């Protein structure tokens, strides 16, 4: 019997605070049977816990009831394990409990389309709408590429760089920096180039 | 003679602030009667700020201020999502952190729902089935229609909010500050707003946001933070794990500044005395990890060679086994083929069935393939026996000693340099405290600079001031004068010291000689958007009869006109207008026809 406890303990939700709302959905029978089995001091919280263990399967109901008795016998404080089939936190009351997002495509697209669209996809869709030439939309207000040539700064120190190392393609300002660059491991070199988005894909 | 000057080292330590959970506030009675008071939510990609829009003094600041992140794990702990200030320290949960934002636009509405739940729960709302208060919400400039539709759907259908108003956060901040400075409406000016993911240039003409000419630069706080993080991690590869994003953000907030003249400032940093004075040494907590470890270079090489040899042996053995297997199979197939040649057709067919093959041709093709494989296997074995598999030691990389790296920066820099790599295995003595210090020198300057010059990060977009010049060029000179006389800086990323002076200097360079301009910065750059939205809500109350006032979208309007409907007001986006099309893909979940209408600015 003791070995059953860890397994069934999982079916027993923790806080009695969740009892309030959930209680109305649970069949009263379990509470009655739990009450019958309860010996001695049966706090209302324990009874509610008995209610809460009512998962759809009868199996778990029975084991839950047994557990209630077991727990009373053992006198352990059961708080912590979360029910697999239900979350402990009750949904906030101000929400509509039947609400389903339409964007995630839960109903429409079935099982396939579960993820939210990311910005790229949304923008791609939006560009297909018949915009006029000057209408502002998220894509059109992107700033254009720069018209001025970029200034070159050293990858190591950030000072203005006049020189580039032909071997590693890193920029540097002085001979000390150059010696430092030549001693760098390749992953650091690639890191600096990647920071500047200057890594060459072709080896 | 010995100089008495003590070089003043500026040693700082990371504060690593922990956030404390927000309390659940009691719903004040005056927020429900006589009319439900609007809730103002500034939905930012870095921080969400929420509070009541009531005239009383106790509601003068946002009640809730939290990072817009949710720590969501998969599987069993899915329901234990922590949001915002419930997470004391972001770093251990960095991989679980999710935000509803993609750049500055809300795209993931499940997480947005979690955020709203958090906000409403902590504001004390406990009404059944709906949130009875109107909501003022901020959105991105030129927010995509799909996103607005999903947001409206979430608010109207899940929370059954009676009224919703959308506005652009920078515009709210602009109006708030203009009223504080007692400028007369209608306001004209140009807003430079820099947040966490994007920076915007928003011109406002005569009280209306000129959306056609606004521009967005995709460089802001988060890019600066990741740039700084990579720079420090590349400079100090031994402290890779200690340079966390939270610490880097702390560096940006506390220790960075914007140079008024970037090149001049850099020249100052060349001199060693200036460097010593100005470099911020960040002391990392002691970690017990020493450079190079206790193993010398040669030992590490030996170990690697050994591992390589072992791997090669394993591979060779595997190849031999495969070769044997192939040979066996080949023999079997050849035997079957011989059966065919000998004319024992029944046995042949039976064996074919056993081997799961259909015909003699298939058998032949299998035999050919196997013969090829066996040949190749034999060749490889011959080759591997021949060459002794040189260990690829040339690929081995030794991490740089910290002292050498820093000393090379400034040769006159006097500090305890780490000794060269020891030839023998004797453990060198060095200054442990120095090893655990990060020297943040020019990085203090370079990272805020990427807002003006995005090229060090590889972005080829224009910087902020160049974009401003581009935007101004689209107006007539009179309009330019009017716009430039009220340049307004807002947004969290504008809080570096020296930002205002820098903008003034660059504006001086690009405006005509002796023309007039004025630059102001928001009084509280991060919070002013919330204050502005609150002021707007107080100035535009809803009339009791249920008719929507200007700027508010009522549930009825949402149901009739669909999710993308936007009610304009002084601080809102411009609505998108099409002529009478029903778009199937943008249908709101209530399935109504969407109305679009034409608007010309």
């Amino acid at each position: 019997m003791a070995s059953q406890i860890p397994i069934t303990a999982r079916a027993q939700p923790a806080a009695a605070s969740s009892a309030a709302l959930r209680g109305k959905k649970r069949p009263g029978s379990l509470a009655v049977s739990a009450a019958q089995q309860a010996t001695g001091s049966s706090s209302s919280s324990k009874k509610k816990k008995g209610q809460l263990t009512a998962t759809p399967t009868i199996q778990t109901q029975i084991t839950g009831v047994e557990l209630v008795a077991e727990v009373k016998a053992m006198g352990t404080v059961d708080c912590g394990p979360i029910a697999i089939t239900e979350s402990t936190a009750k949904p906030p009351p101000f929400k509509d409990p039947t609400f389903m997002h339409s964007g995630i495509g839960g109903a429409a697209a079935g099982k396939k389309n579960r993820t939210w669209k990311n910005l790229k996809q949304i923008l791609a869709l939006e560009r297909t709408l018949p915009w006029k030439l000057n209408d502002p939309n998220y894509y059109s207000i992107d700033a254009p590429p720069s018209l001025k040539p970029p200034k070159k700064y050293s990858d190591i120190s950030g000072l203005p760089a006049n020189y580039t190392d032909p071997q590693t393609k890193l920029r540097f300002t002085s001979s000390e920096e150059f010696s430092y660059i030549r001693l760098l491991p390749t992953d650091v070199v690639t890191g600096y180039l990647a920071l500047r988005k200057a890594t060459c894909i072709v080896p | 003679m010995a100089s008495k000057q003590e070089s003043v080292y500026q040693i700082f330590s990371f504060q690593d602030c922990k956030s404390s959970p927000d309390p659940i506030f009691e719903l004040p009675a005056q927020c429900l009667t006589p009319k439900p008071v609007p809730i103002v939510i500034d939905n930012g990609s870095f921080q969400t700020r929420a509070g009541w829009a009531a005239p009383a003094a106790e509601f003068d600041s946002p009640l809730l201020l939290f990072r817009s992140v949710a720590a969501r794990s998969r599987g069993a702990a899915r329901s234990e999502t922590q949001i915002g200030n419930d997470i004391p320290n972001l770093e251990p949960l960095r991989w679980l952190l999710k935000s509803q934002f993609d750049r500055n636009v809300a795209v993931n509405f499940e997480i947005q729902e979690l955020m709203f739940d958090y906000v409403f729960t902590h504001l004390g709302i406990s009404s059944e089935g709906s949130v009875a208060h109107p909501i003022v919400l901020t959105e991105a400039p030129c927010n995509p229609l799909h996103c607005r539709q999903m947001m409206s759907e979430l608010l109207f259908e899940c929370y059954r909010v009676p009224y919703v108003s959308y506005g652009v956060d920078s515009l709210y901040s602009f109006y708030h500050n203009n009223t504080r400075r007692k400028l007369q409406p209608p306001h004209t000016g140009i807003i430079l707003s820099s947040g966490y993911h994007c920076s915007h240039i928003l011109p406002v003409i005569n009280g209306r946001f000129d959306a056609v000419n606004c521009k967005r630069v995709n460089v802001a706080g988060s890019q600066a933070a990741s740039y700084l993080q990579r720079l420090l991690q590349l400079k100090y590869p031994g402290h890779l794990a200690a340079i966390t994003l939270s610490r880097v953000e702390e560096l940006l907030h506390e220790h960075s500044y914007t140079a008024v003249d970037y090149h001049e400032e850099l020249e100052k940093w060349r001199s060693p005395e200036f460097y010593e004075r100005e470099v911020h040494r960040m002391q990392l907590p002691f970690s017990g990890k020493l450079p190079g470890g206790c193993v010398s270079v040669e030992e590490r090489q030996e170990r690697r060679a050994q591992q390589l040899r072992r791997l090669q042996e394993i591979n060779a053995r595997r190849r031999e086994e495969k070769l044997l297997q192939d040979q066996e199979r080949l023999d079997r197939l050849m035997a079957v083929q011989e059966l065919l040649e000998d004319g024992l057709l029944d046995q042949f067919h039976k064996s074919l069935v056993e081997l799961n093959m259909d015909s003699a041709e298939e058998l032949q093709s299998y035999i050919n393939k196997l013969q090829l494989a066996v040949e190749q296997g034999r060749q490889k074995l011959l080759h591997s026996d021949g060459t002794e598999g040189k260990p690829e030691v040339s690929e081995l990389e030794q991490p740089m000693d910290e002292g050498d790296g820093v000393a090379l920066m400034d040769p006159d820099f006097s500090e305890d340099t780490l000794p060269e790599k020891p030839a023998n295995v004797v453990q060198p003595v060095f200054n442990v405290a120095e090893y655990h210090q990060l020297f943040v020198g020019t990085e203090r300057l370079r990272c805020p600079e990427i807002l003006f010059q995005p090229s060090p990060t590889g972005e080829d977009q224009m910087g902020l001031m160049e974009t401003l010049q581009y935007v101004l060029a689209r107006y007539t000179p009179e309009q330019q004068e009017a716009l430039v006389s009220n340049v307004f800086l807002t947004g969290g990323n504008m809080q570096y010291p020296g930002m205002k002076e820098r903008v003034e200097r660059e504006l001086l360079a690009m405006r005509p000689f002796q023309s007039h301009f004025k630059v102001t910065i928001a009084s509280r750059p991060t919070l002013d958007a919330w204050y502005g939205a609150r002021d707007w809500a107080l100035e535009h109350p809803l009339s009791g009869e249920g008719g929507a006032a200007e700027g508010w979208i009522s549930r009825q309007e949402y149901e009739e006109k669909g999710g993308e409907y936007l009610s304009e007001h002084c601080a809102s986006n411009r609505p998108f207008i099409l002529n009478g099309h029903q778009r199937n893909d943008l249908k709101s979940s209530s399935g109504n026809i969407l109305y679009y209408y034409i608007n010309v600015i």
Side-chain angles (χ1 to χ4, degrees):
Chain A
M1 263 312 196
S3 61
Q4 271 192 16
I5 291 194
I7 305 166
T8 50
R10 253 180 272 130
Q12 176 122 343
S17 60
S18 49
L21 266 193
R22 299 311 188 93
K24 62 179 191 247
K25 290 192 191 157
R26 303 301 163 205
S29 57
L30 187 57
V32 173
S33 48
Q36 283 173 352
Q37 293 212 2
T39 52
S41 59
S42 54
S43 55
S44 58
S45 64
K46 289 263 167 82
K47 237 190 262 174
K48 279 191 191 136
K49 282 196 190 120
Q51 276 180 318
L52 288 160
T53 56
T55 50
T57 62
I58 301 176
Q59 187 92 24
T60 12
Q61 277 187 357
I62 296 172
T63 51
V65 167
E66 283 175 350
L67 178 61
V68 170
E70 285 290 331
V71 162
K72 282 216 197 63
M74 308 288 267
T76 51
V77 178
D78 50 84
C79 51
I82 301 166
I84 297 176
T85 49
E86 49 195 345
S87 57
T88 48
K90 62 171 179 184
F94 43 76
K95 279 165 76 160
D96 177 5
T98 59
F99 174 69
M100 269 253 299
H101 288 107
S102 72
I104 201 170
K111 296 291 178 196
K112 270 191 260 175
N113 194 9
R114 275 180 202 264
T115 52
W116 293 96
K117 292 202 172 73
N118 61 9
L119 187 63
K120 262 196 196 169
Q121 292 167 322
I122 295 179
L123 290 182
L125 270 186
E126 196 172 302
R127 289 170 69 182
T128 60
L129 289 179
W131 297 97
K132 297 232 176 38
L133 195 58
N134 268 340
D135 271 345
N137 61 359
Y138 191 84
Y139 179 75
S140 68
I141 63 174
D142 231 0
S146 174
L147 301 168
K148 303 184 186 150
K151 294 232 161 57
K152 300 198 179 101
Y153 298 103
S154 157
D155 290 308
I156 318 288
S157 65
L159 302 169
N162 294 329
Y163 320 107
T164 308
D165 176 17
Q167 187 190 75
T168 53
K169 306 280 182 294
L170 291 177
R171 298 185 181 142
F172 60 95
T173 55
S174 58
S175 46
E176 294 89 12
E177 283 195 18
F178 180 69
S179 358
Y180 177 69
I181 287 181
R182 276 301 162 90
L183 293 170
L184 282 178
T186 41
D187 54 349
V188 175
V189 168
T190 340
Y192 277 119
L193 289 175
L195 206 54
R196 233 190 325 136
K197 300 212 181 108
T199 44
C200 192
I201 309 172
V202 181
Chain B
M1 62 171 244
S3 57
K4 287 274 266 180
Q5 72 201 33
E6 250 323 296
S7 24
V8 180
Y9 289 156
Q10 302 198 54
I11 303 189
F12 302 88
S13 53
F14 285 106
Q15 283 168 356
D16 285 338
C17 319
K18 308 255 182 285
S19 56
S20 49
D22 288 320
I24 298 189
F25 295 97
E26 276 291 318
L27 185 61
Q30 65 215 83
C31 290
L32 271 184
T33 57
K35 252 187 338 190
V37 164
I39 301 180
V40 178
I41 304 181
D42 178 9
N43 206 18
S45 56
F46 182 63
Q47 235 188 7
T48 307
R49 298 161 270 262
W52 299 103
E58 68 218 27
F59 302 121
D60 209 20
S61 60
L63 288 179
L64 292 174
L65 261 154
F66 57 93
R67 291 283 309 253
S68 313
V69 284
R72 245 186 152 187
S73 50
R74 299 172 187 269
R78 183 80 162 176
S79 48
E80 288 174 346
T81 309
Q82 290 178 301
I83 301 174
N85 285 335
D86 290 341
I87 311 170
N89 186 6
L90 292 183
E91 283 318 309
L93 302 174
R94 181 57 71 178
W95 311 114
L96 299 174
L97 291 179
K98 297 218 168 45
S99 163
Q100 71 269 34
F101 285 98
D102 184 347
R103 249 194 242 159
N104 60 341
V105 170
V107 298
N108 186 330
F109 289 91
E110 259 181 81
I111 301 187
Q112 182 71 69
E113 196 183 325
L114 290 174
M115 298 288 169
F116 280 143
D117 285 347
Y118 183 87
V119 166
F120 295 142
T121 323
H122 284 264
L123 284 180
I125 296 178
S126 54
S127 43
E128 272 289 327
S130 72
V131 175
H133 306 260
I135 307 260
V136 180
L137 194 63
T138 56
E139 59 175 15
C142 299
N143 196 20
L145 297 175
H146 173 85
C147 303
R148 190 177 308 128
Q149 182 200 345
M150 300 303 298
M151 186 69 89
S152 291
E153 177 189 296
L154 181 66
L155 285 174
F156 282 118
E157 305 205 4
C158 180
Y159 295 103
R160 301 188 186 279
V161 173
Y163 295 95
V164 170
S165 169
Y166 294 112
V168 177
D169 46 359
S170 335
L171 294 176
Y172 283 134
S173 174
F174 182 60
Y175 285 108
H176 176 73
N177 278 279
N178 282 340
T179 23
R180 281 182 83 243
R181 286 165 58 202
K182 311 228 191 314
L183 290 180
Q184 289 307 316
H187 309 291
T188 301
I190 195 155
I191 306 175
L192 300 175
S193 138
S194 182
Y196 192 55
H197 282 107
C198 316
S199 310
H200 290 94
I201 314 263
L202 306 169
V204 178
I205 301 212
N206 285 337
R208 308 224 71 155
F209 165 46
D210 188 10
V212 179
N213 288 322
C214 77
K215 281 293 167 202
R216 178 188 67 242
V217 179
N218 297 321
V219 177
S222 74
Q223 284 84 356
S226 55
Y227 184 55
L228 182 58
Q229 191 187 26
R230 276 313 282 154
L231 277 180
L232 288 178
Q233 282 179 339
L234 288 169
K235 195 158 137 190
Y236 297 101
H239 295 297
L240 210 71
I243 302 173
T244 62
L245 207 53
S246 314
R247 286 190 173 150
V248 160
E249 281 174 7
E250 192 188 314
L251 278 177
L252 277 179
H253 296 165
E254 313 285 329
H255 299 275
S256 307
Y257 67 100
T258 310
V260 181
D261 183 342
Y262 189 57
H263 280 261
E264 198 187 299
E265 199 66 28
L266 283 183
E267 292 306 313
K268 282 196 224 161
W269 278 90
R270 272 190 204 272
S271 89
E273 296 86 26
F274 185 87
Y275 182 85
E276 267 203 48
R277 254 199 347 260
E278 293 293 324
V279 70
H280 284 204
R281 295 147 213 255
M282 308 303 302
Q283 183 72 50
L284 289 174
F286 178 71
S287 77
K289 231 180 50 166
L290 304 169
C294 326
V295 180
S296 82
V297 173
E298 286 82 18
E299 270 184 52
R300 249 182 287 156
Q301 287 184 343
E302 252 309 299
R303 235 182 259 168
R304 288 210 194 189
Q306 242 182 333
Q307 278 173 342
L308 269 155
R309 253 177 273 139
R310 236 179 281 147
L311 272 172
Q312 277 173 339
E313 278 170 36
I314 293 177
N315 277 341
R317 226 176 295 142
R318 227 184 281 149
R319 253 180 267 132
E320 281 177 17
E321 282 176 18
K322 184 160 190 307
L323 187 60
L324 273 168
Q325 276 178 350
D326 285 340
Q327 265 178 327
E328 263 178 74
R329 192 155 161 78
L330 185 62
D331 291 335
R332 239 186 297 147
L333 291 182
M334 299 291 282
V336 173
Q337 206 177 43
E338 274 169 37
L339 282 179
L340 171 66
E341 285 164 19
D342 291 343
L344 301 159
L345 283 168
D346 303 331
Q347 275 184 320
F348 175 68
H349 281 295
K350 238 196 299 182
S351 346
L352 267 192
V353 171
E354 272 173 41
L355 289 171
N356 226 346
M357 286 189 231
D358 293 324
S359 63
E361 290 83 26
E362 210 178 328
L363 181 67
Q364 186 60 45
S365 68
Y366 263 106
I367 289 181
N368 290 339
K369 266 191 256 172
L370 272 179
Q371 275 176 339
L372 217 59
V374 165
E375 266 308 306
Q376 279 177 343
R378 282 212 201 100
Q379 291 286 331
K380 269 209 206 119
L381 267 186
L382 280 175
H383 277 291
S384 68
D385 283 345
T387 63
E388 198 48 270
K390 252 183 305 229
E392 279 119 43
V393 189
S394 56
E395 286 292 303
L396 290 178
E397 294 143 8
Q398 332 294 335
M400 249 329 260
D401 278 338
E402 317 308 315
D404 291 344
V406 179
L408 283 167
M409 290 299 119
D410 288 82
D412 311 344
F413 199 51
S414 60
E415 61 148 350
D416 300 341
T417 55
L418 295 182
E420 312 303 329
K421 301 189 197 23
N424 49 356
V425 203
V426 171
Q427 193 58 26
V429 170
F430 64 102
N431 190 342
V432 183
E434 296 268 347
Y435 173 68
H436 285 288
Q437 276 175 3
L438 302 175
F439 284 71
V440 186
T442 47
E443 289 83 7
R444 290 174 59 202
L445 195 53
R446 283 155 87 181
C447 299
E449 182 64 22
I450 64 168
L451 184 60
F452 298 99
Q453 295 182 56
S455 47
T457 49
E459 273 287 333
D460 52 4
Q461 269 191 324
M462 299 175 158
L464 196 68
M465 299 314 288
E466 205 186 330
T467 316
L468 176 64
Q469 196 174 21
Y470 180 82
V471 167
L472 283 178
R474 294 167 141 205
Y475 290 99
T476 66
E478 298 82 34
Q479 285 173 319
Q480 288 181 17
E481 276 281 339
L483 285 173
V484 156
S485 62
N486 189 4
V487 177
F488 179 67
L489 306 178
T490 182
N493 201 35
M494 287 291 185
Q495 288 177 301
Y496 297 115
M499 187 62 91
K500 177 156 175 274
E501 290 78 22
R502 174 62 180 271
V503 170
E504 281 176 344
R505 189 174 170 281
E506 300 241 1
L507 212 45
L508 183 65
M510 67 171 79
R511 291 299 296 153
F513 182 56
Q514 286 186 345
S515 64
H516 172 69
F517 59 85
K518 184 160 168 55
V519 177
T520 40
I521 188 166
S523 49
R524 288 157 299 207
T526 32
L527 294 180
D528 266 353
W530 188 87
Y531 285 106
R534 177 176 164 269
D535 291 347
W536 184 88
L538 289 174
E539 281 163 28
H540 294 77
L542 286 163
S543 51
E545 299 83 56
E550 179 211 317
W552 295 95
I553 307 171
S554 69
R555 280 207 71 198
Q556 223 180 353
E557 282 180 328
Y558 163 73
E559 278 161 14
E560 284 173 9
K561 303 184 188 164
E564 290 93 1
Y565 177 66
L566 176 66
S567 179
E568 275 186 78
H569 56 88
C570 58
S572 76
N573 271 318
R574 295 279 83 82
F576 169 51
I577 299 176
L578 252 201
N579 215 349
H581 263 40
Q582 179 182 356
R583 315 272 328 171
N584 286 323
D585 48 351
L586 294 178
K587 244 195 236 197
S588 69
S589 61
S590 52
N592 290 315
I593 299 175
L594 304 169
Y595 286 99
Y596 296 91
Y597 50 96
I598 295 270
N599 183 15
V600 176
I601 297 166

